[in-house]
Amino acid sequence: MNIILLGAPGAGKGTQATRIEENYGLTHISTGDIFRRHMRRQTEIGEEARSYIKKGLLVPDEVTLKIVKSALDEVHGKNFMLDGFPRNLNQAQQLDGIAKIDKVIDIRVDFDILTDRICGRRSCLDCGYTTHISVLGGANTCPKCGCEMTQRVDDREETVRSRLQVYATQTASLVEYYEKQGKLFTVDGMGTPDEVFAEIKKVLG
Ligand SMILES: [Zn+2]
């Protein structure tokens, strides 16, 4: 069984991906991780991707597809879980030409709650400890090392709202595409990680 994991930023996709990988033995293919690895190693594809990112442009679908294709070649026919791809309808259609997808799991969380989750994130610049502002109880110091906790520029409300809007716009046609094929399974992402995973298990069997 090959699956795709969908979910807006902050919806807890990473946590669930780890659990699915452990419980179902699916190879986790995270396009974000693969891009970063290629860029670190300065491979041809990595450099190509970097040239767009440097200019503040989106990496074109054909470059992303190349990355995904190479990752799929590496799994040698083992079952996999795609995370971060496809992002739009064109990518989904292209993907159908190179792999067979059985199920698409869409983890849904209300956007206001996601905004609160992401905007409330605070990280320690010194040790990297990250938590939600509600846990800090009004203090602005790291519970691990005592240094100052700060909010990432990317996590400011305006940025988060526009990021979520872009995600919603891009994935709407994608969701519809898989819905028509009878492959889409929507999972309520509002619960605890255990509750969300219980829902996913019902889908995956
Ligand atoms: Zn710290």
Side-chain angles (χ1 to χ4, degrees):
M1 179 173 53
N2 298 325
I3 70 168
I4 293 169
L5 203 54
L6 294 178
K13 201 156 49 91
T15 309
Q16 298 304 327
T18 308
R19 294 189 179 203
I20 295 169
E21 188 176 20
E22 285 166 358
N23 285 270
Y24 290 90
L26 302 179
T27 304
H28 183 194
I29 301 176
S30 156
T31 39
D33 286 350
I34 301 170
F35 263 124
R36 280 185 288 275
R37 205 183 318 138
H38 275 277
M39 288 195 277
R40 226 177 15 244
R41 290 187 195 148
Q42 302 183 337
T43 65
E44 201 180 311
I45 304 176
E47 291 305 294
E48 202 177 346
R50 195 199 301 274
S51 72
Y52 291 99
I53 295 167
K54 231 172 43 192
K55 289 181 217 147
L57 299 171
L58 276 178
V59 178
D61 287 351
E62 58 275 19
V63 178
T64 308
L65 206 79
K66 254 194 248 173
I67 292 244
V68 171
K69 227 174 162 220
S70 74
L72 290 177
D73 287 344
E74 275 174 39
V75 304
H76 299 297
K78 272 188 280 185
N79 290 329
F80 61 84
M81 161 178 48
L82 277 171
D83 167 8
F85 181 92
R87 278 270 163 87
N88 57 47
L89 182 60
N90 176 49
Q91 290 181 351
Q93 288 165 336
Q94 301 282 329
L95 176 65
D96 276 344
I98 56 173
K100 185 184 163 290
I101 300 301
D102 300 294
K103 286 179 181 175
V104 178
I105 296 175
D106 186 12
I107 305 175
R108 295 265 178 97
V109 180
D110 179 85
F111 275 11
D112 284 334
I113 290 172
L114 281 184
T115 306
D116 175 69
R117 271 192 199 171
I118 302 171
C119 296
R121 267 199 307 234
R122 294 293 180 274
S123 308
C124 172
L125 289 175
D126 203 54
C127 74
Y129 177 74
T130 301
T131 191
H132 193 268
I133 193 165
S134 59
V135 178
L136 295 172
N140 203 28
T141 47
C142 174
K144 303 270 174 205
C145 74
C147 287
E148 194 191 345
M149 299 290 280
T150 56
Q151 184 184 38
R152 281 176 40 199
V153 181
D154 279 3
D155 290 349
R156 293 197 184 135
E157 180 158 353
E158 228 182 75
T159 317
V160 171
R161 292 227 179 247
S162 81
R163 219 194 307 163
L164 290 174
Q165 199 45 56
V166 168
Y167 173 82
T169 309
Q170 282 184 336
T171 47
S173 54
L174 188 66
V175 165
E176 196 188 302
Y177 178 72
Y178 288 120
E179 202 163 24
K180 274 187 193 148
Q181 296 183 9
K183 292 177 181 171
L184 186 79
F185 296 86
T186 303
V187 166
D188 179 4
M190 304 275 268
T192 64
D194 283 342
E195 286 165 352
V196 177
F197 187 57
E199 291 298 311
I200 290 176
K201 279 205 281 200
K202 279 187 211 159
V203 173
L204 296 180

